[in-house]
Amino acid sequence: MLKVNNVELRFSNRILFENVNIEFKDDNCYGIIGANGAGKSTFLKILSGEVESTKGEVIIGKNERISVLRQNHNEFDEYKVLETVIMGDSELYDIMKEKEAIYMKPDFSVEDGMKAAELESRFEEKNGWQAESDAAVLLSGLGITPEYHEMYMRDLKDKDKVKILLARALFGNPDILLLDEPTNGLDLKSKMWLEEFLIDFKNTVLVVSHDRHFLNKVCTHMVDIDYEKVTLFIGNYDFWFKSSELIQKQMRDSNKRKEEKMKELQDFIARFSANASKSKQATSRKKALEKIVLEDIKPSSRKYPFINFEVERPLGKEVITLEKINYSMDGKQILKNINLTIRPDDKIALIGSNEIAKTALLKIIAGELEPDSGERKVGSTVQVSYFAKNHDEYFKEELTLVDWLRNYSVNKDESFIRGFLGRMLFSGEESQKKVTVLSGGEKVRVMMSKIMLEKGNVLLLDEPTNHLDIESINSLNLGLEKYTGALVIATYDQEIIESVGNRLIEIKNDGTYRDKQISYEEYIEKYGLDEAN
């Protein structure tokens, strides 16, 4: 059981949220959502005791254990992998280490024997003999094979450390599980394993994530941090999205009706307050007017950029064709005999774990990389717009946002450029920021602005959701659904793949490929996860 009573958090004069009263129950998964800076991660830290709220209290059931996904990848570098996972249950781990220290004593006393017996009893109660096996099962589910189990954390790559820290959080059947962005760095197979684990988990889970597919799959409730309050909704992310829009519309409609009624009463009072025969009616309308209270509709902390990809001219029949493309890097062939014909109505999603190969293929399609062999043919009507995964080279000059974007706009007028930037959430003085100091998410939004101004009829996007918040990803998703040109996109965002893609191309680790015009779900079901992760 986990309850928050009258919890408030404020920094100086800014209120993040107040009067929070929620009980989180077993066998439920609560998705914590809100704009960047709304306080999602901080809310989890209040629940775990890492951060103290300004007001209120957090109540945890007696003897219940909270487990938290650690974010510092180097925190356990001096420990072995299996040991790091078991440390997730600190009480069990302490018992194991204390037992070990006693049995290592050269002068084992009667008192030591009694203490050891007590520890053995507690060890058995906590199912300690099963600990290593349970830890190994979690690691296996997340793709960490047995040869890694006795390695030190310092010797592993970050992508593997992420999985081990997740296994550590899941270990020992915690009563309350707090997960901050648990799918970051996970491949598809590991993510789907985690989804099934959380669906079957019988205790309380709270999770912060920008992965809409993940939130839809695992969450029974959404906890929305917005309007300086925390609101609980039953249902997954999609249900919350529709519900919250409906609630706001109902409040606006209600206020509009009230305003119309107020205007009607004010007009009557103004006309008849001096008329003796109507004075009683005017007085009664004044009282009615005083009782009307407009809903206090605070502005949302969420900001959605307006992403809309127009095309300068429609595509002809011939788009882009690749014939017998081969490409090697550092002596390894990463693309083998690729034959690809892009059609005008294609929305192609590149899938698979071979990111280097997907990036190389997109660059070859864009004409930015020469293959070792093969031919690229481009139709006469084609206008390519390319979004590179690594776009730092675009931001080396000390230009303001306005001057930078003007370089890519036919309309050079400053008011037009400022207006365009405003739609992409760079308002007021922000348009005068230097592009060299932009954050990762800001750079992506600026690159999207460039692409929208280009009005290309072939869109090539390499991991465009990296660094974006969930609101911007929603806007990008909607923009791609409406796009009328041909699209080739490399992304791990399952919602975009499923809602936009009509053709899947998997680039395998040996450089070969599979090209299918089926849904993502059908692809996974037919060909399995080992080749789609």
Side-chain angles (χ1 to χ4, degrees):
M1 182 269 293
L2 176 65
K3 288 177 71 174
V4 287
N5 285 345
N6 202 31
V7 164
E8 175 187 289
L9 183 65
R10 64 170 68 217
F11 296 116
S12 299
N13 294 324
R14 185 193 170 201
I15 297 173
L16 282 182
F17 42 78
E18 59 185 345
N19 300 323
V20 182
N21 294 281
I22 300 176
E23 181 176 355
F24 300 100
K25 298 181 179 179
D26 284 351
D27 206 15
N28 284 331
C29 180
Y30 301 85
I32 314 296
I33 54 173
N36 283 348
K40 302 184 294 293
S41 297
T42 307
F43 185 66
L44 285 189
K45 288 177 179 178
I46 289 172
L47 298 179
S48 68
E50 292 177 65
V51 170
E52 190 173 341
S53 61
T54 313
K55 183 180 175 184
E57 61 178 345
V58 176
I59 301 170
I60 301 167
K62 188 177 180 182
N63 298 324
E64 292 199 343
R65 181 170 72 88
I66 289 183
S67 184
V68 179
L69 175 59
R70 313 294 283 199
Q71 300 296 325
N72 182 355
H73 296 172
N74 303 318
E75 185 176 351
F76 302 96
D77 276 359
E78 301 310 310
Y79 297 92
K80 291 183 178 180
V81 167
L82 208 61
E83 185 179 14
T84 300
V85 176
I86 294 172
M87 288 169 74
D89 186 339
S90 59
E91 184 184 351
L92 174 61
Y93 181 74
D94 289 346
I95 292 170
M96 291 172 67
K97 298 308 285 184
E98 196 173 351
K99 268 177 51 183
E100 185 181 305
I102 289 176
Y103 289 134
M104 290 289 287
K105 278 187 171 185
D107 51 345
F108 192 83
S109 66
V110 174
E111 289 78 9
D112 290 331
M114 293 174 64
K115 183 64 177 176
E118 179 203 333
L119 291 170
E120 289 290 3
S121 176
R122 290 170 60 197
F123 185 72
E124 183 117 20
E125 283 175 12
K126 291 189 70 64
N127 204 23
W129 298 112
Q130 194 69 24
E132 288 193 5
S133 174
D134 290 344
V137 168
L138 292 172
L139 289 168
S140 175
L142 290 165
I144 304 296
T145 49
E147 61 264 30
Y148 289 92
H149 293 185
E150 291 303 313
M151 290 176 64
Y152 282 93
M153 290 285 283
R154 61 173 175 262
D155 298 324
L156 301 181
K157 296 177 181 176
D158 268 357
K159 69 181 183 69
D160 293 322
K161 289 182 180 181
V162 165
K163 294 178 179 181
I164 293 158
L165 292 179
L166 180 55
R168 181 187 183 280
L170 304 178
F171 178 76
N173 194 37
D175 301 288
I176 299 159
L177 186 54
L178 307 181
L179 303 175
D180 194 350
E181 298 292 359
T183 63
N184 280 2
L186 293 189
D187 53 53
L188 177 63
K189 188 176 182 181
S190 299
K191 192 180 91 168
M192 294 186 76
W193 179 89
L194 176 61
E195 288 171 355
E196 293 305 317
F197 181 93
L198 294 179
I199 288 168
D200 293 337
F201 191 70
K202 297 303 179 187
N203 297 335
T204 305
V205 184
L206 284 87
V207 57
V208 171
S209 178
H210 68 274
D211 186 325
R212 297 165 300 157
H213 183 273
F214 179 74
L215 292 174
N216 280 330
K217 192 78 183 283
V218 305
C219 290
T220 58
H221 299 72
M222 303 308 298
V223 178
D224 182 31
I225 303 178
D226 201 1
Y227 309 105
E228 298 178 357
K229 60 183 181 179
V230 179
T231 308
L232 180 67
F233 291 81
I234 296 173
N236 62 14
Y237 179 82
D238 280 349
F239 188 81
W240 162 81
F241 190 76
K242 292 169 186 171
S243 299
S244 61
E245 283 191 324
L246 180 61
I247 288 168
Q248 285 298 301
K249 183 179 183 302
Q250 287 173 338
M251 288 172 68
R252 288 192 297 269
D253 289 348
S254 173
N255 273 2
K256 187 178 179 182
R257 289 192 296 272
K258 288 177 181 177
E259 285 168 351
E260 289 170 354
K261 182 65 176 175
M262 289 169 73
K263 178 74 166 57
E264 180 185 318
L265 293 171
Q266 286 165 347
D267 288 346
F268 184 92
I269 294 164
R271 284 201 313 271
F272 298 112
S273 57
N275 187 321
S277 63
K278 297 282 188 178
S279 62
K280 191 175 280 190
Q281 293 177 41
T283 301
S284 93
R285 278 167 173 73
K286 276 184 183 178
K287 290 179 180 177
L289 182 61
E290 289 167 1
K291 290 179 181 178
I292 297 176
V293 179
L294 295 176
E295 296 280 355
D296 181 17
I297 306 177
K298 295 180 180 178
S300 172
S301 57
R302 286 185 174 84
K303 304 294 179 188
Y304 292 87
F306 180 74
I307 299 178
N308 183 44
F309 302 107
E310 298 178 351
V311 298
E312 188 74 47
R313 57 176 175 171
L315 282 167
K317 288 184 180 180
E318 304 296 325
V319 185
I320 297 175
T321 302
L322 303 183
E323 294 180 356
K324 298 181 179 178
I325 296 293
N326 291 281
Y327 181 72
S328 298
M329 183 183 292
D330 299 327
K332 181 182 178 183
Q333 190 167 2
I334 60 171
L335 294 175
K336 290 183 182 178
N337 199 33
I338 304 289
N339 293 286
L340 172 63
T341 298
I342 300 174
R343 300 179 292 264
D345 60 348
D346 272 340
K347 303 290 187 287
I348 299 170
L350 300 181
I351 61 173
S353 60
N354 196 341
E355 294 185 18
I356 294 172
K358 289 186 288 187
T359 293
L361 180 58
L362 278 167
K363 284 185 174 181
I364 290 169
I365 296 170
E368 298 211 350
L369 181 66
E370 279 295 319
D372 299 333
S373 63
E375 188 177 3
R376 171 181 178 264
K377 297 178 182 177
V378 182
S380 59
T381 61
V382 169
Q383 293 174 269
V384 171
S385 286
Y386 171 57
F387 176 93
K389 179 159 60 176
N390 184 355
H391 36 258
D392 288 344
E393 64 186 74
Y394 289 91
F395 300 101
K396 290 180 178 177
E397 292 187 71
E398 288 284 337
L399 296 173
T400 66
L401 274 170
V402 169
D403 291 335
W404 186 92
L405 194 58
R406 186 183 278 118
N407 290 330
Y408 302 100
S409 177
V410 174
N411 187 338
K412 307 293 183 183
D413 182 67
E414 180 151 341
S415 62
F416 171 79
I417 302 294
R418 280 177 173 269
F420 205 93
L421 286 167
R423 288 161 53 186
M424 294 302 287
L425 310 184
F426 298 101
S427 57
E429 293 305 309
E430 284 190 309
S431 64
Q432 295 303 313
K433 284 174 75 170
K434 299 288 187 183
V435 296
T436 51
V437 301
L438 296 178
S439 68
E442 288 173 329
K443 286 179 179 177
V444 173
R445 282 189 274 125
V446 172
M447 288 298 293
M448 287 296 165
S449 302
K450 168 187 173 291
I451 287 171
M452 284 189 280
L453 287 170
E454 289 173 346
K455 298 186 178 180
N457 51 24
V458 176
L459 205 51
L460 307 176
L461 306 178
D462 194 357
E463 298 294 347
T465 64
N466 286 356
H467 307 295
L468 290 183
D469 58 26
I470 199 167
E471 289 76 33
S472 296
I473 293 172
N474 268 326
S475 296
L476 173 62
N477 201 151
L478 185 60
L480 292 177
E481 286 178 25
K482 294 178 179 178
Y483 181 59
T484 58
L487 169 70
V488 185
I489 181 171
T491 182
Y492 287 105
D493 191 291
Q494 204 163 330
E495 286 293 312
I496 288 179
I497 295 173
E498 291 180 351
S499 63
V500 176
N502 59 19
R503 183 178 172 188
L504 304 178
I505 297 178
E506 179 194 355
I507 311 296
K508 302 182 185 180
N509 288 324
D510 64 359
T512 60
Y513 70 103
R514 180 184 282 128
D515 185 348
K516 296 293 177 182
Q517 199 145 1
I518 57 177
S519 72
Y520 194 53
E521 193 174 317
E522 290 172 319
Y523 189 95
I524 300 295
E525 190 175 329
K526 188 169 183 178
Y527 299 106
L529 293 172
D530 289 334
E531 294 176 306
N533 62 19

